[in-house]
Amino acid sequence: MGEASAHAIAKETSQEGTRADELSFVHDAVLLEETVAAVLGVKALPKQKDNVEDENSLKVSGIYVDATFGRGGHSRLLLSQLADDAQLIVFDKDPTAIAVAHELASIDNRVTVVHDSFATLTDSLAAMGIHQVDGLMADLGISSPQIDDGSRGFSFMRDGAVDMRMDTSRGQSVAEWLEQVDDETLANVLYEFGEERHSRRIARAIKQMDSYESTLELAEVIKVAHPKWQKGKHPATQSFQAMRIFINNELGDVDDFLAQSIPILKSGGQLAVISFHSLEDRRIKQFLQRHSKGQYPEDENLPMPPQRPRYFSKPKRIAPSKAEVSHNPRSRSAWLRTATRTDVSYQPVVES
C-alpha cells in the first residue's frame, strides 16, 4: 500500500484508450533496506557482491508479516534474507496487489497471501495456527500504482470514477457516499481526516454538484471553492486525502493493527512501520511512546498512577536519505518508526 512508495510508470493502451494495467507499473519501495533491516533486527543488510544473492543472505528463520504487500518490494527483499524454512505472510486489501502477491507465492512456497486489511491480523494468523511472529512491517497509505491509475479515483490529476476504495471488491465508493452524505458530515470529514481549514465552504460546493462521476470535475469544484491555495500544492490535495482515508477506514485500521502488534510479536520481535502524513505518524509515535514508557495520558492526574507494562524498547525514527528523495520525490514525506518487543508478557485489558 504505502503512499509515495513508488516511482510509477504506466504502460498505456493507446489504441483503445483503456485504463493502465496496474500490473505493468514499475516502482521503488520507500526506505526499502532500512525497513527490511529493522524488521530483521540488524543494523544493515549484507552488501551484495557480484549479484550472488545466496552468499549474501542472512538466512534468518522465523515467521514474518508484510502487512501491506503493495507491489512486493519490501517482501521480495525480505525473502532474499530469509532461510528456506522461514514463513512470510502478506496482507493487502487491493485485488491487484493480491494478484501480484499470488504470482510471488506461486514461485516461493514460503509466502502465504491474505486478501484483507491488516486490521484482521490476529484472526487471520490464528486461522493458520500462528499466534506469534518474529517480525512485522507495514508501509501505510496509498501506493503510486494506485495514485497513477486514474480509474481508481485517487488522483485529482487523472480523470476517473470517484471511487477511492482500496478494495474494489467490497464496500461503498466515495461517489456513492457523496450522494448520501449531508453538508455538515462531509465538512467534518474534510476537516478531521484532511486537516482542511476551509472544509465547510468546500463541502457546500461539493454537495451542489449534479453528479460525482469524474475525479477531475470534483477536483475542479474544490479548486474553485478553495479560497487560499498553497504554492506547489493542488487545492484538492487535502480533501481527496480526507475522503480516501474516511471511505477506507484507514486510521481505524492503523489503530487496530498497532494494538494487535503487541500480543502477536514474540519477545525480541521487531515492528517497522512507514507512514506518510501526520495523522498516521502521530498515531504510531504516540502508540510506541505509551508502550515503551508505560506512561498513559489517563494516568496523569491520578495520585497513584498504576504500573503500566513496557511492551516495546525505545523507538527509533528514520527518514529517507537525500539520495532516495532525489530519486523518488514521493518519498520525501515518509517516516519509518521501529521498535523491539520486550520480554514483558502481554496483559490484555479487561473492561469492566
Side-chain angles (χ1 to χ4, degrees):
M1 287 164 57
E3 183 173 354
S5 67
H7 173 65
I9 302 171
K11 296 179 180 178
E12 304 286 351
T13 49
S14 56
Q15 290 183 345
E16 298 179 3
T18 56
R19 77 174 183 87
D21 178 3
E22 282 196 49
L23 290 173
S24 70
F25 281 96
V26 178
H27 65 283
D28 303 318
V30 166
L31 288 158
L32 178 59
E33 293 203 10
E34 295 91 335
T35 302
V36 173
V39 85
L40 290 171
V42 297
K43 289 185 177 180
L45 300 181
K47 293 197 178 295
Q48 295 297 311
K49 296 178 182 177
D50 302 322
N51 294 320
V52 183
E53 290 187 10
D54 227 30
E55 293 183 7
N56 300 287
S57 171
L58 293 170
K59 297 290 184 184
V60 178
S61 295
I63 303 172
Y64 292 85
V65 173
D66 183 348
T68 51
F69 180 79
R71 295 305 178 268
H74 292 100
S75 280
R76 288 185 176 87
L77 183 58
L78 178 58
L79 285 166
S80 75
Q81 301 300 317
L82 295 181
D84 292 341
D85 63 350
Q87 286 182 263
L88 175 62
I89 298 93
V90 303
F91 287 71
D92 211 293
K93 289 181 179 181
D94 188 332
T96 308
I98 289 299
V100 177
H102 279 303
E103 287 181 3
L104 180 60
S106 71
I107 59 173
D108 194 325
N109 60 16
R110 296 174 295 176
V111 178
T112 302
V113 181
V114 180
H115 180 194
D116 214 332
S117 165
F118 53 37
T120 69
L121 182 68
T122 302
D123 289 342
S124 294
L125 292 178
M128 302 175 205
I130 298 171
H131 301 285
Q132 286 198 308
V133 302
D134 297 273
L136 184 56
M137 63 182 179
D139 178 3
L140 304 180
I142 179 173
S143 68
S144 289
Q146 291 167 325
I147 296 171
D148 293 341
D149 180 358
S151 70
R152 296 298 299 273
F154 296 114
S155 175
F156 41 75
M157 303 299 288
R158 295 171 175 82
D159 202 17
V162 183
D163 194 318
M164 301 194 201
R165 287 173 297 168
M166 295 290 184
D167 185 348
T168 52
S169 69
R170 66 188 90 172
Q172 186 181 45
S173 70
V174 167
E176 292 168 334
W177 176 67
L178 287 174
E179 291 283 358
Q180 303 168 3
V181 71
D182 59 79
D183 293 29
E184 184 177 357
T185 302
L186 175 56
N188 289 340
V189 165
L190 299 183
Y191 183 78
E192 181 179 354
F193 298 111
E195 300 178 300
E196 175 54 72
R197 294 175 60 189
H198 306 286
S199 60
R200 297 195 181 284
R201 180 170 177 167
I202 292 169
R204 285 195 298 270
I206 290 173
K207 287 300 295 179
Q208 288 170 7
M209 294 178 68
D210 294 329
S211 68
Y212 305 104
E213 298 177 357
S214 164
T215 50
L216 288 185
E217 288 180 10
L218 177 60
E220 184 62 24
V221 166
I222 296 171
K223 181 179 176 181
V224 171
H226 205 296
K228 193 172 182 180
W229 298 3
Q230 249 180 294
K231 187 178 180 181
K233 185 176 183 179
H234 193 288
T237 300
Q238 288 165 265
S239 294
F240 267 58
Q241 172 189 297
M243 290 183 281
R244 187 204 81 222
I245 289 174
F246 173 80
I247 212 69
N248 291 291
N249 189 37
E250 290 179 29
L251 298 182
D253 281 3
V254 169
D255 288 340
D256 289 345
F257 165 72
L258 291 173
Q260 291 173 68
S261 72
I262 300 175
I264 210 68
L265 279 168
K266 292 179 180 177
S267 172
Q270 306 293 326
L271 176 66
V273 186
I274 304 170
S275 62
F276 296 88
H277 57 73
S278 59
L279 294 174
E280 292 172 340
D281 185 58
R282 192 179 305 127
R283 274 172 157 72
I284 301 161
K285 176 184 176 181
Q286 291 174 350
F287 171 82
L288 291 175
Q289 282 182 338
R290 282 197 306 273
H291 293 296
S292 62
K293 295 180 178 178
Q295 297 175 352
Y296 292 74
E298 56 266 36
D299 297 340
E300 287 179 2
N301 297 321
L302 296 178
M304 293 288 290
Q307 289 285 343
R308 298 280 195 172
R310 300 184 181 190
Y311 292 123
F312 287 103
S313 65
K314 183 179 179 181
K316 297 177 182 177
R317 185 179 74 163
I318 302 169
S321 65
K322 290 182 180 179
E324 179 170 5
V325 173
S326 176
H327 169 71
N328 180 10
R330 287 178 175 172
S331 70
R332 65 187 179 275
S333 60
W335 286 108
L336 168 63
R337 292 189 184 270
T338 70
T340 304
R341 180 71 164 86
T342 64
D343 60 0
V344 175
S345 296
Y346 177 60
Q347 301 170 18
V349 176
V350 179
E351 294 186 8
S352 55

